[in-house]
Amino acid sequence: MSQTPLIASDEALNPLLHTWSTRPWLALDTEFVRVDTYYPKLCLVQVGDGQHSVCIDTLALRDLTPLLDLLKRPDLLKVFHAASQDLEILVQLGGSCPAPLFDTQLAATLLGLGDQIGYAALVEKQLGIVLDKSLTRTDWSRRPLTAPELAYAAADVEHLAVLYPMLRDALAQAGRLAWLEEDCARAANGSHYITEPADAWRRLKGLARLNPQAQTAAAALAAWREQRAQSHNRPRKWIIEDDAIYRMAERLPRNLAELGALTILPPRTLARHGESLLAALDAARAAPAVALTHDERLASELKARVQKLQERLRAIATTHDIPASLLAPRADLEALVLQGAQAGIPLLEGWRREIAGRELLELL
């Protein structure tokens, strides 16, 4: 078996970029670490064009811009499997999302091959190849990487390059290639992969149990934490835990003594961030109290309507041999019951509207 090429300099990468710019598509994967950082640290990019596969040592390159610019070209299709984490990194580094995309996990789901099927399972099902996953926990930031590690990383795009035309042709034959293109265009919205501090409250679970004033305070604290985590590139929970946000939002301490009496912050965190946390709480206290989210428990009559929609959705999904959750998760059905045609959900757009959304609206 030939050794997988490792591209570790700009000079070695440049001719490959020129070659890849003439290809209609590229199979791509990334390896990264995110243990003690907010942002993932990109360590490798694997690229396959159906003829050759290489690993790019992104830690060794002086400038990633030429590679990122290539991946933004609209005439070059980018093939990923379960693309979201790869896209998050590329948006972070390049400022926008590579497009157009072809996600083989989504393609497999649309073909009835499995709901959110993993890469190894798809390779085994479609190609009859059992992948060695023993190196899954490799520290990709460590150098030098071994030959087996590089071969393991490159295998992802080698098989992806074989899967792509198979799945593309199967989708075209089934009349579902446009479905895939629509969903991949939606996935290529770069805003999906960036959390603005003002929207950080959406990550908090159980916010609906708080009253409007406490919700407003929790949102202010979540925004403060997000900004701090981003600017210092540290995990959110390293700044403050969710439970601490809830307690502060509920109790609204006015000074360091009251904040310390809650016994929810380590002494070092209290000393370092206490004043700025109190400032965030003061601002929230002065702002209008807003209920950002409502109790997710629906009244019995609304539950019955959601259940009715779920039953019909399952029947439609079975007819098309796709998971009902791909058409709409329960949360979207609840939004449909509460907001009707004004619900901003994928079910009311594109191919989903055609095969299910319009009919479910009529059932309301």
Side-chain angles (χ1 to χ4, degrees):
M1 182 178 65
S2 60
Q3 185 169 349
T4 301
L6 178 64
I7 308 304
S9 70
D10 300 77
E11 292 73 21
L13 178 60
N14 288 334
L16 288 174
L17 294 176
H18 176 73
T19 298
W20 292 334
S21 70
T22 67
R23 302 288 194 250
W25 57 268
L26 292 176
L28 295 155
D29 191 25
T30 65
E31 305 295 348
F32 61 92
V33 294
R34 179 159 52 182
V35 177
D36 57 358
T37 60
Y38 177 92
Y39 298 105
K41 181 179 181 181
L42 183 62
C43 301
L44 282 181
V45 173
Q46 303 98 283
V47 182
D49 62 2
Q51 300 178 32
H52 306 286
S53 299
V54 303
C55 295
I56 302 172
D57 184 354
T58 53
L59 299 181
L61 298 183
R62 293 190 302 271
D63 185 9
L64 291 180
T65 302
L67 173 62
L68 296 171
D69 286 346
L70 175 70
L71 298 184
K72 294 177 185 177
R73 286 184 49 158
D75 58 340
L76 178 65
L77 183 71
K78 277 67 71 171
V79 181
F80 292 91
H81 184 87
S84 61
Q85 288 188 320
D86 305 299
L87 297 180
E88 178 189 356
I89 299 171
L90 296 173
V91 168
Q92 170 212 327
L93 294 173
S96 62
C97 194
L101 305 173
F102 187 103
D103 190 319
T104 55
Q105 185 183 68
L106 180 55
T109 305
L110 289 171
L111 290 169
L113 298 176
D115 185 8
Q116 297 186 330
I117 188 171
Y119 180 70
L122 182 60
V123 169
E124 184 173 1
K125 178 176 286 191
Q126 294 300 103
L127 305 181
I129 298 172
V130 178
L131 297 180
D132 176 12
K133 304 302 289 183
S134 62
L135 297 175
T136 300
R137 297 187 178 277
T138 294
D139 178 1
W140 296 105
S141 66
R142 176 185 48 76
R143 296 295 183 271
L145 294 170
T146 66
E149 288 168 341
L150 292 173
Y152 168 87
D156 284 348
V157 292
E158 289 172 5
H159 301 311
L160 199 57
V162 179
L163 286 169
Y164 160 63
M166 294 174 59
L167 297 174
R168 177 200 60 204
D169 293 347
L171 284 169
Q173 186 174 359
R176 298 183 178 184
L177 186 56
W179 294 9
L180 186 284
E181 291 170 348
E182 178 187 318
D183 284 5
C184 284
R186 184 180 292 110
N189 183 342
S191 66
H192 294 332
Y193 310 101
I194 298 173
T195 300
E196 297 293 343
D199 294 326
W201 63 267
R202 299 181 186 278
R203 303 181 64 90
L204 297 174
K205 306 300 182 184
L207 192 64
R209 64 180 172 81
L210 302 181
N211 63 43
Q213 184 179 43
Q215 287 190 29
T216 301
L221 294 171
W224 175 89
R225 179 177 68 175
E226 199 74 15
Q227 189 279 329
R228 190 85 185 181
Q230 290 175 350
S231 63
H232 291 268
N233 195 21
R234 288 291 180 263
R236 295 177 185 89
K237 290 187 176 181
W238 284 29
I239 310 299
I240 51 173
E241 297 274 358
D242 286 358
D243 286 346
I245 287 179
Y246 289 130
R247 289 288 304 283
M248 285 186 282
E250 289 171 327
R251 301 294 292 275
L252 294 175
R254 294 179 177 274
N255 52 54
L256 285 176
E258 291 181 2
L259 180 57
L262 296 179
T263 65
I264 55 174
L265 298 176
R268 185 176 179 182
T269 302
L270 179 63
R272 179 179 295 179
H273 302 310
E275 293 291 355
S276 56
L277 287 169
L278 290 169
L281 288 169
D282 286 342
R285 190 183 288 107
V290 177
L292 298 168
T293 185
H294 300 278
D295 196 329
E296 297 173 355
R297 295 170 296 180
L298 296 177
S300 58
E301 186 270 335
L302 293 178
K303 282 185 178 180
R305 293 168 65 188
V306 171
Q307 182 64 31
K308 180 181 178 182
L309 295 183
Q310 277 190 313
E311 291 172 358
R312 184 56 194 148
L313 190 73
R314 292 191 193 103
I316 294 171
T318 299
T319 299
H320 292 85
D321 193 25
I322 56 178
S325 60
L326 180 65
L327 290 172
R330 180 181 172 86
D332 283 5
L333 294 181
E334 292 178 355
L336 187 63
V337 166
L338 293 170
Q339 302 171 40
Q342 303 306 311
I345 54 176
L347 179 65
L348 300 183
E349 301 172 358
W351 67 269
R352 288 176 175 81
R353 183 182 182 91
E354 292 302 312
I355 71 168
R358 185 176 288 113
E359 180 177 344
L360 293 189
L361 276 174
E362 293 174 355
L363 292 177
L364 291 177

